[in-house]
Amino acid sequence: MRRGKKKTTIDDIQLDSTLSKLIDGSLEVNLTVIKKILGDASDLVIRRMTLNNSNNLKGAVLYIDGLVDKTSVQDFILEVMMVEVPPEKISLAHVYEEIKNSALPIGEITETNKLDDLLLRLLSGETLVLVDKETQALSASTKGWKDRGVQETTSESVIRGPKESFTETLRTNTALVRRKIKDPNLRIDAKKIGNMTVTDVAVLYIEGTADESVVKELHARLDKIDIDGVLESGYIEEFIEDPPYSPFPKVYYTERPDSIAGGLLEGKVAIITDGTPNVLLVPALFVNFMQSSEDYYQRYDIGTFIRLLRLFSFVIALFMPSLYIAITTFHQEMIPAPLLINLAAQREGVPFPAFVEAVLMEATFEILREAGVRLPKAVGSAVSIVGALVLGESAVQAGLVSPAMVIVVAITAISSFVFPSYNMAIPVRMLRFSLMILAATFGLYGIILGLIALVLHLCSLQSFGVPYMSPFAPLVPKDQKDVLVRFPHWGLLSRPSATSHKNEKRTNGRNQSKGGSK
Amino acid sequence: MKGMWYLWNKSRLILIMFACLVFLSGCWSSRELDELGIAVALGMDKTEEETYALTVQIINPSEIAAEKATTRPPVTLYKAEGETLFEAFRKMTKTAPRKIYVSQLRLVVIGQSLAEEGVLPALDLLYRDPEFRTSFFMTIAKNASVEDILSVITPYEKIPANKIMETLTAAQENWAATEGVYIDQVISDIRSTGKSPVMTGILMKGKEDIGNSIKNIEYLDAPTRLEIDHLSVFKDDRMLGWLNEAESKGYNYIAGNVKSTLINFPCKEEGSGRIGVELLRTNASMDAKMKKGKPVISVDIEAEGNVGEVECQIDLSKPETLQMIAQKTEGDIKDKIQASIKAAQEVYESDIFGFGNAVSRKAPNYWKKVEKDWDAHFVDTEVKINTKVNIRRKGTNVQPVQKEG
């Protein structure tokens, strides 16, 4: 920057060379530069003031309207600077020092001399205090904006258990987790990802319980991310996911603080992204997507029953249409005679092969579901009427599909809603179609081929070095207590060995006699 | 050229191409349900020209599952003749609109002329073809042609073949004068030297000309009916004749097929009034012993029964009365068994009971000598019959309703 005259005009400043620059000694230059960089943003508030009348020492307070808590800016910054500082008892040289050390009653004050750092703080909602003739500037944390507040979870509701869900604000979210785990070993590492959004990201884990190599690997993968913006945790998920070419999710996400706390206790690592209530959890195993936090809140026998039910509906959601196609077009001898006659009668006059019939109905259902998700609530009922009546009922009456196929598609659809994790339902939905093609081509033989390929694929997957199918493959007998069945809490003495190698014991051993005395 | 294609290296491409090859087979051997002619009953007989006459009863699904009554028959009959059964099957496509699908077959009816000539050659196809399940009953058409029997439209049960199968099962479980025999049992009996097969007969009763019309079921009392009859006796694979009801029951006692049946006998030597005993469980065992170089077969029957019906004045509270009832029941069982053994030994000279198998297990050396002409030895084999009946219950009424005082 050239500084030929005392007065520098905006036009004189070369923008590209200023960004990494230090703060200038002149307040006017600084303000001009900031204004220029922000393109005279309309929400930028600059309050100029005279700090020392006799010397005409100028100062300025800058903040972005809407991102700051106005009352704290008013009460703790503007009032202090304009009412308390001006009395001429402070010598000129000490004005800045005085403001920094004793004038601003605000918890978090940082001092910086870098312009880009200053800008980032300004845009994150902090209030800048600039004093003329100083090459340092103060930034006070006055973040405060309208947020949603902690509300009841909408996507993962439970009958028994906490109802709160994460919000869009990172700090609230870390607090929600801290409130559940008061262990001093809970670590919250901060990161900023995204060249333009500069999104705050927090990595949470319990030191001594979480696998260090996973934490290290996660940090490495997060640091490697190079993207302009992170608007949701899904951006991060795709970058840190293990093999990207697999329909199965290898990162668990939830908006329930209790699920995250449970995961941390198992030695997993959580990633909270600012701006989204969906928090990631790694490593994620196949079985995690079949489990709900409520399994642990209900009695263990109910939890076990529900888990088995979910597994059963997983099988139905994945295989039902293809089994129906395979059996009715290749293996009619497997159907009991009365049922076969019934099915054959339903199919009389249906113009399409069973496969086309099934694809037609499944596709219709997927379209309806997608429409239902995106529609405003008021129109939703209209879609369900059209979907249920017009497409279901009328398609049968028009003889386009057989009633049995409608039942098959319906039970498949209902079953796919049983998973607690929406992102496990998606690969099931997609694989269902490939299995249907296999079933229509080879019958049960094709389904078995597909199943073998599926199992091979699942067994080849890893999530942060942990085999995806553990504790089934490799089989860990001692971890079976909390997979398909859930043992009572007094029986869950150790953490799953897949995610926690150290600190395996969950208890201090005081209640171990409970199991024996039973 | 970076991008998606960059990631697919050559070997992957080749692998995918091979994977696609698999789909070139198309939907080989896939059949939609509405392309199937689901056969429920199959009739076979020999014609006068020594060819096979094949009759197949195919269901008409939309009529069977129809919610409203229709005037079309629920099943259709297709016929064909051929040098072999297989040929006849394929010839059938000349008349039938769909390929005959035999996996759901419930019933095979064999014509009397084929049965008398020998059924074994005809069974090969039913046993060899993978499409046949072996869970169908083998029966013999007793007084009518196979075609006539299969074309009777039955009341109550829409599919005639189902009707026969269900009647057969019900009669076997509650009356025990018939036996539903599956093809694998028939074949193993024919091939066994120590046992001859039996099969149940099917009888047509009533007016023959109405049976094959839907009119048959418009009457309250259907003019034409199908009835399950008694057992036919085979020697090797040729049918010799029929057992009557008592003999059929006797056979089933020995074979251990009696689940439940009814026995009745007069209360006293003279006078009217009978007592009915319901047998609930029977346990049969057969053993062979060698005595003076000759086999002696012992048949032990243990049974449990209830007093089901009493028409005369007896004092049921006395243990002697119950003992008397038990004894008479034992006598009745014994009589029937003796009658069936007599018929097998004297009339047909065919070991339908499997005594030969019992001998072969107990005296293998003796068996080796007589195996070739066992039937000649069977004729004068001594059979000892032991029956033991326990009367357990008397129903809700302690004494007969006629009893005074």
Side-chain angles (χ1 to χ4, degrees):
Chain A
M1 200 193 309
R2 290 163 297 150
R3 200 137 55 98
K5 293 175 197 168
K6 186 95 179 146
K7 281 267 177 192
T8 319
T9 57
I10 290 177
D11 299 327
D12 290 336
I13 301 162
Q14 298 298 310
L15 259 186
D16 48 344
S17 59
T18 57
L19 263 171
S20 59
K21 271 236 148 176
L22 302 176
I23 293 169
D24 198 83
S26 151
L27 177 69
E28 273 318 303
V29 173
N30 285 333
L31 291 180
T32 320
V33 167
I34 289 173
K35 263 162 98 179
K36 173 102 183 174
I37 291 173
L38 294 179
D40 250 338
S42 55
D43 54 353
L44 172 68
V45 177
I46 300 178
R47 179 68 170 94
R48 293 160 193 270
M49 59 197 72
T50 307
L51 292 174
N52 190 307
N53 276 329
S54 53
N55 292 298
N56 202 21
L57 180 67
K58 301 271 188 214
V61 169
L62 289 85
Y63 61 88
I64 303 281
D65 197 14
L67 290 184
V68 296
D69 178 18
K70 271 206 177 144
T71 45
S72 53
V73 172
Q74 206 83 33
D75 293 354
F76 306 128
I77 299 178
L78 289 179
E79 192 168 327
V80 169
M81 304 260 299
M82 299 175 80
V83 181
E84 289 174 19
V85 176
E88 319 245 329
K89 47 188 174 181
I90 311 160
S91 63
L92 177 64
H94 293 120
V95 170
Y96 175 77
E97 286 296 310
E98 187 64 23
I99 293 173
K100 186 176 106 184
N101 290 334
S102 47
L104 295 176
I106 286 210
E108 199 183 327
I109 300 271
T110 31
E111 186 180 29
T112 182
N113 61 352
K114 291 198 185 72
L115 196 58
D116 54 348
D117 185 33
L118 209 60
L119 276 167
L120 181 61
R121 287 176 184 280
L122 177 67
L123 292 171
S124 316
E126 295 189 8
T127 303
L128 307 184
V129 177
L130 272 69
V131 178
D132 199 15
K133 300 192 174 68
E134 288 290 337
T135 55
Q136 302 272 6
L138 294 175
S139 172
S141 178
T142 52
K143 286 177 193 172
W145 52 78
K146 290 270 179 291
D147 72 359
R148 198 161 52 95
V150 179
Q151 285 172 341
E152 193 167 326
T153 168
T154 48
S155 59
E156 296 164 76
S157 49
V158 292
I159 293 167
R160 180 172 180 179
K163 305 261 190 282
E164 66 191 359
S165 84
F166 285 122
T167 70
E168 278 76 10
T169 314
L170 178 102
R171 207 32 83 202
T172 315
N173 293 349
T174 55
L176 284 170
V177 178
R178 266 259 201 243
R179 265 184 49 205
K180 293 202 183 291
I181 302 174
K182 295 178 189 73
D183 195 274
N185 289 322
L186 176 65
R187 298 282 171 267
I188 303 180
D189 298 349
K191 283 223 171 335
K192 285 188 196 299
I193 299 175
N195 306 333
M196 285 167 108
T197 59
V198 201
T199 310
D200 287 312
V201 171
V203 175
L204 279 74
Y205 58 97
I206 299 177
E207 194 161 18
T209 301
D211 196 334
E212 273 163 14
S213 58
V214 171
V215 178
K216 236 171 112 184
E217 175 67 24
L218 178 65
H219 274 296
R221 287 187 194 179
L222 287 175
D223 289 339
K224 261 192 233 161
I225 296 176
D226 181 16
I227 188 173
D228 57 345
V230 175
L231 301 179
E232 214 276 338
S233 53
Y235 289 56
I236 295 177
E237 179 181 340
E238 278 184 27
F239 275 106
I240 62 172
E241 220 177 13
D242 266 293
Y245 303 110
S246 166
F248 288 94
K250 271 111 10 201
V251 176
Y252 183 84
Y253 79 81
T254 179
E255 57 171 33
R256 298 184 56 84
D258 54 328
S259 296
I260 292 298
L264 292 175
L265 290 177
E266 285 181 356
K268 293 180 183 171
V269 185
I271 303 142
I272 302 179
T273 314
D274 192 39
T276 175
N278 294 319
V279 175
L280 306 179
L281 196 66
V282 292
L285 310 181
F286 180 77
V287 291
N288 296 146
F289 297 95
M290 296 280 158
Q291 296 168 349
S292 153
S293 56
E294 200 178 349
D295 298 352
Y296 298 96
Y297 307 151
Q298 299 282 6
R299 285 180 47 82
Y300 62 93
D301 45 0
I302 299 171
T304 300
F305 172 72
I306 301 285
R307 279 187 181 178
L308 294 176
L309 189 76
R310 278 195 210 112
L311 195 76
F312 179 65
S313 38
F314 175 78
V315 173
I316 288 184
L318 193 54
F319 291 109
M320 191 71 177
S322 45
L323 277 178
Y324 180 79
I325 293 172
I327 291 176
T328 56
T329 54
F330 286 91
H331 314 280
Q332 293 93 350
E333 66 277 358
M334 289 176 67
I335 312 173
L339 181 61
L340 178 72
I341 292 165
N342 201 322
L343 293 178
Q346 292 180 16
R347 269 210 54 87
E348 293 288 327
V350 174
F352 308 113
F355 171 67
V356 176
E357 210 186 334
V359 169
L360 211 68
M361 284 308 287
E362 285 289 346
T364 310
F365 170 71
E366 294 296 337
I367 291 168
L368 273 175
R369 162 145 77 180
E370 194 56 25
V373 171
R374 309 285 160 230
L375 270 180
K377 276 199 182 96
V379 202
S381 59
V383 168
S384 43
I385 291 168
V386 171
L389 293 180
V390 180
L391 287 170
E393 189 93 24
S394 309
V396 171
Q397 274 178 8
L400 292 178
V401 290
S402 55
M405 185 59 84
V406 176
I407 295 173
V408 167
V409 171
I411 184 75
T412 312
I414 300 281
S415 298
S416 66
F417 289 123
V418 173
F419 316 126
S421 302
Y422 182 68
N423 50 345
M424 184 48 95
I426 295 169
V428 168
R429 274 155 74 181
M430 293 193 300
L431 289 173
R432 189 154 70 212
F433 283 97
S434 3
L435 281 169
M436 275 156 63
I437 295 172
L438 280 171
T441 331
F442 303 113
L444 283 183
Y445 178 65
I447 294 181
I448 294 298
L449 282 183
L451 181 64
I452 291 172
L454 190 66
V455 169
L456 285 178
H457 173 68
L458 280 172
C459 288
S460 74
L461 293 179
Q462 281 191 343
S463 178
F464 284 85
V466 179
Y468 195 52
M469 287 308 277
S470 66
F472 300 128
L475 187 73
V476 186
K478 112 181 148 63
D479 285 355
Q480 302 295 327
K481 62 184 181 296
D482 188 19
V483 184
L484 292 179
V485 297
R486 180 181 80 74
F487 279 23
H489 284 295
W490 41 261
L492 296 172
L493 300 179
S494 61
R495 299 174 211 284
S497 57
T499 47
S500 177
H501 304 293
K502 332 184 272 179
N503 192 14
E504 279 203 356
K505 282 217 169 89
R506 272 182 194 268
T507 61
N508 291 330
R510 284 199 302 275
N511 58 357
Q512 286 189 8
S513 59
K514 179 85 195 260
S517 68
K518 246 194 74 145
Chain B
M1 264 290 282
K2 285 200 176 180
M4 276 303 268
W5 286 112
Y6 184 75
L7 298 163
W8 299 104
N9 55 35
K10 225 179 194 174
S11 61
R12 274 199 190 174
L13 256 176
I14 290 170
L15 207 71
I16 286 169
M17 282 157 76
F18 269 102
C20 290
L21 271 183
V22 171
F23 288 95
L24 286 180
S25 72
C27 307
W28 183 37
S29 88
S30 94
R31 287 161 302 190
E32 293 297 329
L33 285 180
D34 47 326
E35 293 166 5
L36 298 177
I38 303 167
V40 280
L42 187 109
M44 341 186 255
D45 207 348
K46 272 272 162 93
T47 60
E48 281 163 13
E49 293 90 44
E50 286 297 302
T51 56
Y52 284 105
L54 188 70
T55 318
V56 177
Q57 197 178 75
I58 293 175
I59 57 159
N60 195 346
S62 47
E63 299 308 316
I64 286 165
E67 283 165 22
K68 281 176 261 166
T70 54
T71 49
R72 288 161 56 152
V75 289
T76 316
L77 219 60
Y78 287 105
K79 287 169 284 185
E81 284 178 18
E83 303 268 324
T84 63
L85 270 177
F86 207 21
E87 188 187 308
F89 254 115
R90 287 297 161 95
K91 265 191 188 171
M92 205 166 271
T93 49
K94 290 202 292 186
T95 50
R98 296 173 181 181
K99 191 175 174 293
I100 309 296
Y101 183 69
V102 290
S103 284
Q104 300 285 349
L105 204 64
R106 320 304 306 272
L107 181 76
V108 168
V109 184
I110 297 168
Q112 211 156 346
S113 56
L114 177 64
E116 278 162 6
E117 201 174 287
V119 294
L120 201 53
L123 296 186
D124 186 77
L125 175 74
L126 306 193
Y127 207 59
R128 182 182 305 281
D129 194 299
E131 213 173 70
F132 282 96
R133 269 199 312 217
T134 53
S135 62
F136 45 84
F137 283 137
M138 303 287 296
T139 55
I140 308 285
K142 192 169 179 183
N143 69 340
S145 72
V146 168
E147 196 188 319
D148 285 344
I149 283 184
L150 287 184
S151 43
V152 173
I153 293 182
T154 51
Y156 209 65
E157 174 68 66
K158 275 184 174 175
I159 306 170
N162 268 5
K163 182 254 171 245
I164 296 170
M165 192 160 175
E166 276 157 24
T167 313
L168 195 52
T169 332
Q172 187 185 334
E173 280 176 10
N174 301 307
W175 183 235
T178 56
E179 191 197 358
V181 189
Y182 294 114
I183 185 170
D184 38 359
Q185 197 189 334
V186 170
I187 290 177
S188 80
D189 284 354
I190 291 174
R191 296 185 54 84
S192 155
T193 45
K195 186 178 184 328
S196 295
V198 293
M199 279 186 235
T200 295
I202 300 182
L203 216 73
M204 192 161 87
K205 288 211 163 161
K207 296 175 188 166
E208 286 173 23
D209 49 336
I210 301 186
N212 67 354
S213 149
I214 195 108
K215 266 191 207 148
N216 192 37
I217 54 172
E218 285 172 359
Y219 293 95
L220 193 67
D221 180 17
T224 318
R225 286 174 176 269
L226 290 178
E227 200 176 290
I228 298 299
D229 198 62
H230 316 126
L231 298 173
S232 61
V233 178
F234 276 68
K235 186 164 186 165
D236 296 333
D237 68 335
R238 275 170 290 113
M239 192 185 91
L240 301 177
W242 298 87
L243 297 179
N244 64 24
E245 185 157 69
E247 291 160 357
S248 298
K249 264 195 179 181
Y251 164 83
N252 277 331
Y253 278 126
I254 298 176
N257 288 337
V258 179
K259 267 191 192 142
S260 172
T261 187
L262 195 86
I263 287 168
N264 65 61
F265 42 81
C267 299
K268 297 180 187 107
E269 299 298 317
E270 59 261 358
S272 65
R274 297 179 78 84
I275 297 176
V277 173
E278 177 192 15
L279 284 194
L280 292 177
R281 269 177 286 276
T282 68
N283 204 348
S285 60
M286 188 198 296
D287 203 5
K289 265 185 197 143
M290 294 303 291
K291 220 178 202 176
K292 294 174 191 161
K294 275 197 159 191
V296 175
I297 309 288
S298 63
V299 175
D300 294 293
I301 310 285
E302 253 181 78
E304 221 172 88
N306 290 346
V307 175
E309 196 178 9
V310 181
E311 292 178 348
C312 46
Q313 298 188 18
I314 50 168
D315 190 357
L316 275 179
S317 61
K318 284 187 183 162
E320 301 92 71
T321 320
L322 289 181
Q323 220 156 36
M324 182 271 288
I325 293 174
Q327 268 169 16
K328 289 205 170 173
T329 312
E330 283 168 12
D332 183 88
I333 296 174
K334 211 170 202 173
D335 288 348
K336 285 185 175 135
I337 292 177
Q338 266 161 353
S340 68
I341 292 175
K342 199 175 163 200
Q345 282 184 332
E346 290 172 18
V347 183
Y348 300 117
E349 300 178 6
S350 171
D351 181 8
I352 53 176
F353 308 106
F355 289 159
N357 286 344
V359 173
S360 74
R361 281 193 293 270
K362 281 287 160 170
N365 293 331
Y366 170 77
W367 178 249
K368 266 180 203 157
K369 279 184 274 173
V370 298
E371 193 181 354
K372 291 263 162 61
D373 52 346
W374 164 246
D375 283 342
H377 291 81
F378 164 72
V379 171
D380 44 34
T381 299
E382 191 191 339
V383 183
K384 280 186 182 165
I385 304 156
N386 303 308
T387 54
K388 174 88 187 103
V389 173
N390 289 316
I391 302 294
R392 297 279 187 212
R393 279 166 290 269
K394 298 176 285 194
T396 49
N397 229 1
V398 180
Q399 296 289 9
V401 284
Q402 303 101 313
K403 179 132 174 91
E404 291 148 10

